[in-house]
C-alpha cells in the first residue's frame, strides 16, 4: 500500500516500557468494565475499544497478534469487515489499483510459468485477500486474451463479507451468496463473463486440492504479528495493556510481559538470528506451510507480493489512516494495522515445510521491468487519450521507482522442489 507518510519516509518509532499493570482497584482510576452485550449491538468502533479494554481488564494484557486480529477482522467492527478502505477516499492505495500494468504483468507471468510446467488442466487460480478484486480482474483479462476460461476456476480466500461482494461485482457476470454455507466450504459463488467459475472461502484450508496458481498481494502484511524481545538471554513478549491515564492520547500502551507467554516459550529464532527485538507471525508461518504442502503435493506455484525485509527489521508494526501514519493504539478499528513481511522467515518456512524451490525476494521495480513493463507502458500510451497520458505514466513510475514503491515492495515465488533442475535451465521470469 502506498501512503503519504511512506512516500515522505516517515516511520514510527516505539519504545517499550517494562511497566506494571495498573492497580485497577486503586484510588482515582475510573476505568470500568463496559457492558459487552450492549456494545456488540452498537457495531461501532468505540465498541471495539471498549471490548478490548474489557478483555484486558478481565484477563490481563493481550498479545499484539490478538490485538491486530481483533482490530482488523472482528466480525462486527473489524477494520476490513464492513467497508471499502482503498483508494483516495480510503486509507491507502495498492499497486493493482494504481496501474492496470501491474495485474497484466502478473497475469502474463502466471501464464508463462504455467505453460513451462506443461499447461496442466484443469487448474485453479487462488488469491489470498483480494481486496477490491482488481488484481483478479486484470489477471482474468490476460487469460481471456489467450482464450482460457473454462479450463480453470477462481478460488478467493477473503474474510470480509463486504469486500467479497465488491470482488464479485468487479470480475463476475453473476454471483450469489451460498444459502446454506455451513454445508459447503465456500460462502459465495460467481461466474465470469468468459464462463470461469469463482468460489469464496474464509480459510485457505477450505480451498479444494488441485494444481493451483496462488497469488497473495498485500495479504501477509495484514496477518497478526507477535512482538518479542530478548531480555537476559530469554525471549519475552511485548503485550498490550490499557493506557495508564484516561487523558492519555492513546487508548492502550505496550508493556513487556512479566513472565514467559505461550509464544515466548515456543518461539525459535532462525539460525544466526542477531536481533534482540523482532516481529514474528505465526499466521504467516501457517499459511506459507499450507502453501508449501499444497504445491508439493498437487503441483502449482505461489507468488507472494508485499512490502518487507529479509530478517533485518525490528519494529514495523504501524497504522495508516487517510494516507498518513496513525497511532496504532488509538481508536482501534478506524485505521489499518500492518507489519512488514519477513521474507527470510517465509523462505525458511517454504523450504523446510515442503520440498520447495523458491525464487527471490526481488524488488517490485526489477520484477516489473524484467516482465517488459516499459514496452507495455509505451503500448498503453500509444492508445491513450492525451488527457490520460500523465496518469498512466506516473502510475507506472510509482510502481517501479525505487524511491516510491519500486524497491520497498518485493516478489517471492514458490515452486515444487522436483522442478528445481528444470527451472534452473529455464529460469523463472522476472526473477533473473
Ligand atoms: C491490504 S488488503 C490487500 C488487498 C488486495 N490484495 C490489494 O492489494 O489491493 C488485505 C486483504 O486481505 C483480507 N484479509 C485480511 N486478513 C485476512 C484473513 N485472515 N483471511 C482472509 N482474508 C484476509 C482483507 O479483507 C483484504 O481483502
Amino acid at each position: 500500500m502506498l501512503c503519504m507518510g511512506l512516500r515522505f519516509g516517515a516511520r514510527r518509532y516505539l519504545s517499550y516500557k517494562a511497566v506494571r499493570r495498573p492497580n485497577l482497584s486503586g484510588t482515582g482510576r475510573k476505568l470500568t468494565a463496559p457492558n459487552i452485550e450492549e456494545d456488540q449491538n452498537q457495531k461501532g468502533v468505540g465498541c471495539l475499544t471498549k471490548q478490548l479494554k474489557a478483555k484486558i481488564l478481565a484477563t490481563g494484557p493481550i498479545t499484539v497478534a490478538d490485538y491486530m486480529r481483533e482490530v482488523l477482522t472482528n466480525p462486527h467492527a473489524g477494520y476490513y469487515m464492513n467497508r471499502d478502505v482503498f483508494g483516495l477516499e480510503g486509507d491507502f492505495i495498492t499497486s493493482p489499483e494504481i496501474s492496470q500494468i501491474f495485474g497484466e504483468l502478473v497475469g502474463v507471468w502466471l501464464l508463462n510459468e504455467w505453460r513451462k510446467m506443461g499447461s496442466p488442466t484443469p487448474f485453479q487460480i487462488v488469491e489470498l485477500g483480494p481486496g477490491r478484486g482488481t488484481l483478479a480482474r486484470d489477471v482474468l483479462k490476460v487469460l481471456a486474451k489467450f482464450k482460457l476460461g473454462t479450463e480453470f476456476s477462481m478460488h478467493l480466500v477473503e474474510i470480509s463479507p463486504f469486500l467479497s461482494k465488491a470482488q464479485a461485482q468487479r470480475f463476475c457476470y453473476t454471483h450469489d451468496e451460498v444459502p446454506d454455507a455451513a454445508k459447503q466450504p465456500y460462502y459465495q459463488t460467481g461466474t465470469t463473463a468468459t464462463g470461469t467459475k469463482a468460489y469464496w472461502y474464509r480459510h485457505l484450508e477450505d480451498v479444494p486440492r488441485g494444481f493451483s496458481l496462488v497469488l497473495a498481494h498485500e495479504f501477509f502484511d495484514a496477518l497478526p504479528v507477535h512482538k518479542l524481545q530478548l531480555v537476559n538471554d530469554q525471549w519475552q513478549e511485548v503485550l498490550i495493556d490499557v493506557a495508564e491515564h484516561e487523558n492519555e492520547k492513546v487508548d492502550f500502551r505496550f508493556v513487556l510481559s512479566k513472565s514467559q507467554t505461550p509464544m515466548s516459550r515456543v518461539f525459535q529464532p532462525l539460525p544466526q538470528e542477531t536481533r534482540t527485538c523482532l516481529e514474528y507471525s505465526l499466521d504467516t508461518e501457517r499459511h506459507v506451510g499450507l502453501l508449501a504442502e499444497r504445491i508439493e503435493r498437487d503441483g502449482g506455484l505461489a507468488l507472494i507480493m508485499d512490502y518487507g525485509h529479509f530478517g533485518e527489521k525490528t519494529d514495523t508494526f504501524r497504522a495508516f489512516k487517510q494516507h498518513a501514519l496513525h497511532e496504532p493504539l488509538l481508536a482501534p478499528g478506524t485505521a489499518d494495522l500492518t507489519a512488514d513481511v519477513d521474507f527470510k522467515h517465509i523462505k525458511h518456512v517454504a523450504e523446510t515445510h515442503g520440498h520447495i524451490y523458491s525464487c527471490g525476494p526481488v524488488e517490485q521495480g526489477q520484477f516489473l521491468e524484467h516482465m517488459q513493463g516499459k514496452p507495455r507502458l509505451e503500448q498503453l500510451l500509444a492508445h491513450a487519450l492525451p488527457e490520460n497520458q500523465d496518469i498512466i505514466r506516473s502510475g507506472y513510475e510509482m510502481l517501479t521507482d525505487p524511491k516510491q514503491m519500486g524497491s520497498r515492495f518485493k516478489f517471492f515465488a514458490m515452486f515444487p522442489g522436483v522442478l528445481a533442475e528444470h527451472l534452473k535451465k529455464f529460469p523463472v521470469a522476472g526473477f533473473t
Side-chain angles (χ1 to χ4, degrees):
M1 72 187 64
L2 184 72
C3 304
M4 301 295 278
L6 269 185
R7 242 190 284 172
F8 295 117
R11 185 163 182 270
R12 186 177 64 78
Y13 291 89
L14 285 179
S15 61
Y16 305 129
K17 285 183 283 179
V19 281
R20 289 172 48 207
R21 284 197 68 218
N23 178 0
L24 300 173
S25 58
T27 54
R29 179 129 183 149
K30 293 210 180 78
L31 275 174
T32 50
N35 180 338
I36 296 181
E37 255 178 5
E38 181 190 303
D39 291 334
Q40 273 173 342
N41 295 333
Q42 290 173 10
K43 288 192 176 183
V45 158
C47 142
L48 196 53
T49 308
K50 284 184 187 172
Q51 279 186 49
L52 285 164
K53 280 186 178 174
K55 188 173 176 186
I56 294 171
L57 294 180
T59 60
I62 56 174
T63 64
V64 174
D66 280 346
Y67 179 82
M68 213 172 155
R69 185 176 299 108
E70 199 61 20
V71 170
L72 294 181
T73 59
N74 175 288
H76 299 290
Y79 176 75
Y80 281 118
M81 302 308 269
N82 306 307
R83 64 204 146 125
D84 186 2
V85 296
F86 305 91
L88 285 181
E89 301 287 302
D91 296 314
F92 56 85
I93 188 158
T94 61
S95 295
E97 305 287 336
I98 290 171
S99 168
Q100 69 185 80
I101 298 177
F102 186 89
E104 288 173 353
L105 296 184
V106 169
V108 170
W109 184 87
L110 282 182
L111 196 65
N112 184 57
E113 296 307 320
W114 170 72
R115 283 187 168 170
K116 271 165 58 189
M117 292 192 222
S119 311
T121 54
F123 66 97
Q124 26 189 59
I125 294 187
V126 180
E127 188 180 353
L128 309 182
R132 276 177 170 173
T134 309
L135 174 60
R137 180 198 65 190
D138 292 339
V139 166
L140 279 164
K141 262 187 344 201
V142 172
L143 298 191
K145 276 238 181 282
F146 287 85
K147 306 276 182 273
L148 290 168
T150 49
E151 293 81 355
F152 70 98
S153 46
M154 297 287 288
H155 301 265
L156 300 313
V157 179
E158 176 56 71
I159 202 163
S160 161
F162 179 90
L163 288 174
S164 61
K165 284 205 180 66
Q167 291 150 20
Q169 280 159 10
R170 185 137 295 196
F171 60 80
C172 282
Y173 183 63
T174 59
H175 65 93
D176 284 304
E177 264 180 47
V178 174
D180 195 357
K183 288 198 181 141
Q184 303 286 353
Y186 45 84
Y187 62 90
Q188 184 177 272
T189 58
T191 309
T192 69
T194 47
T196 304
K197 296 273 180 228
Y199 304 87
W200 276 260
Y201 311 81
R202 288 190 184 86
H203 307 288
L204 174 59
E205 290 90 330
D206 295 334
V207 177
R209 286 184 63 168
F211 187 95
S212 303
L213 309 178
V214 184
L215 294 174
H217 183 261
E218 288 210 31
F219 171 74
F220 284 96
D221 72 86
L223 295 185
V225 292
H226 290 265
K227 290 183 84 65
L228 293 151
Q229 202 165 312
L230 200 58
V231 182
N232 299 329
D233 287 335
Q234 197 174 58
W235 287 102
Q236 276 182 239
E237 187 159 5
V238 176
L239 301 173
I240 290 178
D241 200 351
V242 293
E244 257 186 315
H245 306 289
E246 274 196 82
N247 56 0
E248 280 183 32
K249 290 202 178 91
V250 287
D251 296 304
F252 301 92
R253 66 191 170 120
F254 293 105
V255 293
L256 195 61
S257 61
K258 287 186 210 144
S259 54
Q260 291 247 282
T261 60
M263 178 51 69
S264 71
R265 210 168 282 138
V266 298
F267 173 68
Q268 294 282 340
L270 293 188
Q272 276 102 47
E273 179 58 76
T274 55
R275 290 172 295 175
T276 55
C277 158
L278 51 82
E279 289 157 344
Y280 165 74
S281 174
L282 185 61
D283 280 34
T284 293
E285 185 161 321
R286 193 174 67 77
H287 279 89
V288 175
L290 287 170
L291 291 179
E293 282 164 24
R294 173 180 288 268
I295 289 168
E296 187 188 358
R297 192 186 54 207
D298 302 328
L301 58 82
L303 183 63
I304 297 176
M305 302 154 277
D306 226 308
Y307 44 85
H309 58 93
F310 202 67
E312 68 275 1
K313 288 202 180 168
T314 56
D315 176 20
T316 70
F317 173 63
R318 59 199 185 280
F320 286 107
K321 189 172 181 173
Q322 291 164 4
H323 301 266
L325 280 167
H326 178 79
E327 170 50 59
L329 302 188
L330 176 68
T334 64
D336 186 27
L337 293 182
T338 176
D340 277 22
V341 168
D342 183 345
F343 282 101
K344 189 173 186 181
H345 179 218
I346 288 187
K347 191 176 169 70
H348 176 81
V349 177
E351 291 173 357
T352 50
H353 271 65
H355 181 38
I356 291 293
Y357 175 76
S358 76
C359 304
V362 297
E363 295 181 355
Q364 171 165 298
Q366 187 188 332
F367 179 91
L368 296 178
E369 297 272 298
H370 282 165
M371 288 303 299
Q372 305 301 310
K374 279 246 173 66
R376 178 61 185 140
L377 171 67
E378 296 307 328
Q379 205 180 26
L380 278 180
L381 289 172
H383 295 97
L385 293 170
E387 61 268 32
N388 292 336
Q389 303 249 338
D390 277 354
I391 194 149
I392 294 173
R393 199 176 281 109
S394 69
Y396 183 72
E397 212 176 286
M398 198 178 276
L399 297 184
T400 51
D401 178 0
K403 291 201 198 85
Q404 298 187 64
M405 299 168 91
S407 72
R408 196 177 158 75
F409 284 75
K410 314 269 192 308
F411 280 53
F412 176 82
M414 294 161 60
F415 291 85
V418 288
L419 293 182
E421 289 312 311
H422 176 71
L423 294 173
K424 278 176 198 154
K425 221 158 134 195
F426 305 102
V428 178
F431 285 85
T432 42

